[in-house]
């Protein structure tokens, strides 16, 4: 549910901060373009402990969104920063989802 809310909220925040449709679509695309890196990230996740990469990905997303909240609260929202947050949180989402897929068989074996 959190990924869906982030996927909807970031482009809406971009639309609020700028009227340019290009930047709104850039923010929306940046949050999903990380899935193109899924084969590479999946390979990395297979070489890491699953729980550690899941916790690390969620902590990274939490820190990014808290920093974004602080920037928005101060009124200095930059659309380019939104694109970077969308891309970085998308990469963290791919790390988490790949690790979640790898952890399930380990949990089922126990």
């Amino acid at each position: 549910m959190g990924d869906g809310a982030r996927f909807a909220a970031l482009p809406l925040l971009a639309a609020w901060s700028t009227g340019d449709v290009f930047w709104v679509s850039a923010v929306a695309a940046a949050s999903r373009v990380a899935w193109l890196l899924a084969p590479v990230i999946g390979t990395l996740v297979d070489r890491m402990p699953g729980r550690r990469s899941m916790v690390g990905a969620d902590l990274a997303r939490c820190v990014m969104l808290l920093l974004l909240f602080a920037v928005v609260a101060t009124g200095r929202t930059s659309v380019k920063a939104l694109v970077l947050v969308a891309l970085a949180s998308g990469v963290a989402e791919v790390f988490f989802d790949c690790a979640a897929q790898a952890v399930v068989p380990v949990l089922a074996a126990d």
Side-chain angles (χ1 to χ4, degrees):
M1 193 161 110
D3 289 334
R6 180 184 45 86
F7 184 66
L10 287 177
L12 286 173
L13 184 59
W16 174 73
S17 64
T18 182
D20 193 0
V21 177
F22 171 77
W23 287 110
V24 175
S25 62
V27 170
S31 64
R32 292 298 179 199
V33 76
W35 281 100
L36 295 174
L37 300 173
V40 175
I41 292 173
T43 303
L44 290 173
V45 166
D46 283 343
R47 287 159 174 58
M48 291 189 245
R51 285 187 184 152
R52 184 177 296 163
S53 65
M54 289 173 70
V55 168
D58 268 351
L59 285 176
R61 284 193 284 187
C62 182
V63 167
M64 282 184 275
L65 293 178
L66 283 174
L67 288 174
L68 179 63
F69 173 75
V71 169
V72 171
T74 60
R76 297 185 300 169
T77 306
S78 167
V79 180
K80 293 176 185 176
L82 287 176
V83 172
L84 290 176
V85 167
L87 179 64
S89 62
V91 169
E93 174 189 1
V94 175
F95 263 99
F96 183 89
D97 289 349
C98 289
Q101 293 292 326
V103 168
V104 169
V106 173
L107 294 175
D110 290 341

